[in-house]
Amino acid sequence: MLDEKSAKAVAELARLELVDSDSHSRGNIVDDFVKIVGYMDILAHAQTEGVDPLYCPIIEAQPPRADEPKSRPGLADKILEEAPERVGRFFAVPRIV
Amino acid sequence: MNQLWHLTLCEAAKGLAEGRFGALDLVLACLERLKQTEPSIKACLTVLEEESLAYARSLDEKGRDPQKPLWGLPVTVKDVFCLLGAPTTAGSKILENYRPAFEATVVERLKAAGAVIIAKTNLDEFAMGSSTEFSAYGPTCNPWNLERVPGGSSGGAAASIAAGQSLAAMGTDTGGSIRQPAALCGCVGLKPTYGRVSRYGVVAYGSSLDQAGPLARSAADCALMLSAVAGPDGRDSTCSMRKIDDYLNLCPLKASDLVLGLPEELWSADFAPQVANVLEQAKKILTSAGVTLKSVKMPNLRFSVAAYYILAAAEASTNLARYDGVRYGYREAGKEDLNDLYFSSRTKALGPEVRRRILLGTFVLSSGYYDAYYRKAAQVRRLIANDYYKALKDCNFLLAPVSSIPPWPFGAFTADPLTLYQLDMMTLPLNLAGGPGLSLPAGLGADGLPVGLQLMGRAFEEAELLNAGMFFERLLPPIGWPPLN
């Protein structure tokens, strides 16, 4: 049974906090979550025994290409420019050890 | 102010080819119209005024290039397409100042075809929504009634075209995000077959569902846009290798060529009376013209909302894991613990609807629930795709409504996300199956608001679909322009 505790566990996995602002603006996020997951139970009525799952409807996909680096001068610098914090040519994160 | 913004994309292309006006005249007309209407509709997140004027001038100086099918034509792109030199926000605070280091294939192809990109349009955050109310930068208003939503998630694109700000737009459709705003704003919108248009450089939501496509004022305009952007792309492994068809030289259809299937599961919905009246009238017009309409059964469509929201949310939770406050995007300051940095950056800069879908997706992918929800939904997806395949065996196209209700007042459903999800019932099954769909204006309701119809076809039959759309446009009543000053 889904409840606030299990919703919190899922939020933990998603690296999200269940914050109060959600309940002010959009109804209670846990209640909504429980209601939406409850609706999904309609799928129990679908006859899917022996049915192959369809994960992506691609037709005539690109064949894999050779794993070779391509030169894009200056691209690394441009990507690093987008980092909110960096140290030299590295992305900076808080200490983890 | 010149009135060139009234033209369709094809009319404008013809005018340029005949030398009746230049690229700068067209771009100026659209930018002036944009300035006039933007304070009321708020369709654009970035206006590329200087860049587009300079580019249009340079095009005029060099002279028209007949090899470039969109030469000098002002268009917009939804703010999920990466474009060099401008922000790409995806309607989210988490990407507020993000300037991509690369460009989407769609943008490259528009530019290569000579198009002038004048603005980037508003959307629900990460394309998650059907009203643009979930944009972190505020909602877009429907030009037909400023107190109503324009639909979404490509609501900025649709409103912008309806208001005359641009002649065509590129949007994306994950569960109806091109077709539904096109219908609610009285435009034409095409969701191509999955894999027909490259997703390279498009901010990802549901990667097995997302597909880029045009919105414009006619099916022929959509054909012109599609011919410029569609086709194989080695940078997107899900982009089909299949060559594109000729979308521009189509033999006019006869009514007797057309057998349309009407899915019972969609036509039996609870329609608002003003929508039902327009749909009934449209069906009468088609049958009087000699088009055959027949009812078809697609029994698994009743599971489509549940299957879609499981699969789309699962893909969203995976795709949006990249927003961690480290490599790009928003980062909460002053955090000394890495996990704390992730939690606070994501919670603060992702909106409630996005967080809701990430939670749902994380849940259905989590240990113990994967088979019951995610795998089960993918099996149902196969059944739904089979329903389309069977239904399209005996008819050329399927004909369905796009929305069961007219554009709704702001805030009407924001406290009830499940009802909002269920409103996508008309459009999202097609994304699960992967086929193409074209949304067309069917007429105006008694409330003066546009009502749309959609045609759905077999995979990669965009040419046939667009041709049928052109035929329908000749039969259905023109809706004119919104009452916008």
Side-chain angles (χ1 to χ4, degrees):
Chain A
M1 182 62 193
L2 274 173
D3 54 16
E4 181 139 9
K5 195 178 159 203
S6 45
K8 274 187 177 156
V10 172
E12 185 85 13
L13 289 171
R15 303 292 184 269
L16 288 172
E17 291 159 24
L18 293 177
V19 290
D20 289 343
S21 65
D22 295 327
S23 58
H24 292 309
S25 59
R26 306 285 320 282
N28 185 297
I29 198 162
V30 176
D31 290 350
D32 285 344
F33 180 60
V34 172
K35 192 173 157 193
I36 291 165
V37 173
Y39 172 75
M40 303 307 178
D41 290 337
I42 188 179
L43 292 187
H45 300 290
Q47 298 298 318
T48 54
E49 207 179 304
V51 175
D52 272 343
L54 173 60
Y55 293 110
C56 186
I58 182 65
I59 298 170
E60 294 179 37
Q62 302 278 340
R65 56 178 157 74
D67 187 12
E68 291 164 348
K70 285 186 181 168
S71 174
R72 302 269 298 271
L75 185 63
D77 290 331
K78 277 189 189 165
I79 288 171
L80 274 165
E81 275 171 23
E82 285 303 314
E85 278 186 49
R86 60 181 167 141
V87 177
R89 289 183 58 77
F90 298 95
F91 298 107
V93 294
R95 270 190 99 82
I96 51 171
V97 285
Chain B
M1 184 163 100
N2 80 50
Q3 299 290 309
L4 295 173
W5 54 268
H6 267 283
L7 298 174
T8 66
L9 192 72
C10 291
E11 287 166 353
K14 193 163 177 274
L16 288 166
E18 291 168 354
R20 284 190 275 125
F21 44 81
L24 187 61
D25 301 321
L26 261 181
V27 171
L28 270 173
C30 286
L31 284 173
E32 281 177 29
R33 179 68 181 163
L34 191 151
K35 279 184 194 163
Q36 185 189 24
T37 55
E38 189 61 6
S40 13
I41 65 166
K42 299 180 274 292
C44 302
L45 292 177
T46 303
V47 180
L48 301 162
E49 184 177 1
E50 283 177 27
E51 298 90 328
S52 50
L53 287 174
Y55 185 52
R57 268 190 210 101
S58 75
L59 288 176
D60 281 340
E61 279 164 17
K62 282 183 220 152
R64 183 176 167 271
D65 182 346
Q67 300 301 311
K68 295 185 172 180
L70 299 178
W71 189 91
L73 297 171
V75 303
T76 65
V77 295
K78 185 177 179 177
D79 204 18
V80 287
F81 291 97
C82 290
L83 187 152
L84 289 172
T88 295
T89 69
S92 180
K93 283 282 175 202
I94 211 160
L95 289 176
E96 189 166 13
N97 299 310
Y98 174 59
R99 285 177 175 261
F102 54 91
E103 202 148 69
T105 297
V106 161
V107 169
E108 281 186 1
R109 290 185 180 176
L110 286 173
K111 288 181 175 177
V116 184
I117 300 173
I118 62 167
K120 301 194 78 185
T121 56
N122 197 17
L123 67 151
D124 291 289
E125 184 176 1
F126 286 106
M128 297 181 195
S130 46
S131 64
T132 74
E133 289 170 293
F134 301 143
S135 168
Y137 304 97
T140 294
C141 304
N142 192 314
W144 292 86
N145 180 334
L146 298 174
E147 289 166 9
R148 305 274 175 145
V149 302
S153 65
S154 311
S160 178
I161 292 165
Q165 295 184 345
S166 70
L167 306 186
M170 282 302 294
T172 56
D173 191 316
T174 304
S177 282
I178 288 173
R179 289 162 288 151
Q180 184 258 23
L184 299 193
C185 289
C187 313
V188 180
L190 172 71
K191 181 202 100 67
T193 308
Y194 181 80
R196 183 67 298 174
V197 178
S198 170
R199 294 185 298 110
Y200 177 79
V202 182
V203 178
Y205 160 22
S207 300
S208 80
L209 302 152
D210 296 341
Q211 184 54 208
L215 297 94
R217 299 204 186 106
S218 73
D221 289 0
C222 286
L224 187 56
M225 289 286 279
L226 185 68
S227 63
V229 299
D233 178 19
R235 296 183 295 184
D236 171 6
S237 63
T238 61
C239 191
S240 179
M241 293 287 282
R242 193 179 286 215
K243 282 187 185 161
I244 67 165
D245 292 328
D246 182 350
Y247 306 122
L248 304 179
N249 299 292
L250 304 167
C251 296
L253 288 173
K254 295 195 295 286
S256 55
D257 296 336
L258 286 169
V259 179
L260 304 181
L262 276 58
E264 282 178 17
E265 293 73 13
L266 300 182
W267 285 96
S268 61
D270 194 10
F271 293 102
Q274 60 271 48
V275 173
N277 288 343
V278 174
L279 294 174
E280 283 311 309
Q281 190 59 32
K283 282 200 281 187
K284 273 185 202 153
I285 292 170
L286 295 176
T287 42
S288 312
V291 175
T292 305
L293 304 184
K294 59 185 245 182
S295 189
V296 294
K297 283 191 166 59
M298 300 176 71
N300 294 293
L301 291 194
R302 71 191 177 104
F303 303 121
S304 55
V305 173
Y308 173 87
Y309 274 96
I310 288 171
L311 296 169
E315 294 181 19
S317 78
T318 312
N319 274 325
L320 273 65
R322 71 191 66 177
Y323 302 107
D324 56 5
V326 175
R327 290 158 301 162
Y328 54 96
Y330 178 82
R331 177 191 186 101
E332 180 80 336
K335 296 293 168 188
E336 293 180 3
D337 174 85
L338 184 59
N339 255 326
D340 199 11
L341 173 73
Y342 294 153
F343 277 91
S344 51
S345 300
R346 287 165 63 78
T347 304
K348 195 158 180 190
L350 294 171
E353 181 57 30
V354 171
R355 278 181 279 137
R356 188 193 320 284
R357 294 195 195 192
I358 292 175
L359 279 184
L360 179 62
T362 307
F363 170 72
V364 300
L365 289 174
S366 62
S367 175
Y369 296 102
Y370 182 94
D371 283 345
Y373 290 100
Y374 183 66
R375 189 169 187 280
K376 179 84 178 181
Q379 287 177 304
V380 169
R381 184 177 192 178
R382 172 85 61 193
L383 297 177
I384 290 167
N386 290 346
D387 277 359
Y388 273 94
Y389 181 75
K390 283 179 205 157
L392 284 162
K393 267 188 172 174
D394 300 325
C395 42
N396 313 79
F397 306 101
L398 301 176
L399 179 72
V402 185
S403 172
S404 56
I405 58 172
W408 55 90
F410 289 105
F413 298 107
T414 40
D416 187 1
L418 184 56
T419 299
L420 205 51
Y421 297 173
Q422 287 165 332
L423 284 174
D424 297 343
M425 171 66 192
M426 302 289 166
T427 50
L428 58 76
L430 188 67
N431 298 75
L432 291 169
L438 181 72
S439 166
L440 299 155
L444 291 179
D447 51 8
L449 295 169
V451 175
L453 266 175
Q454 62 175 327
L455 282 167
M456 296 175 275
R458 300 182 194 100
F460 297 104
E461 292 196 353
E462 281 81 4
E464 291 81 352
L465 198 61
L466 289 161
N467 204 10
M470 293 173 208
F471 175 80
F472 276 41
E473 283 169 345
R474 289 194 288 274
L475 294 176
L476 296 169
I479 63 166
W481 288 89
L484 190 69
N485 291 322

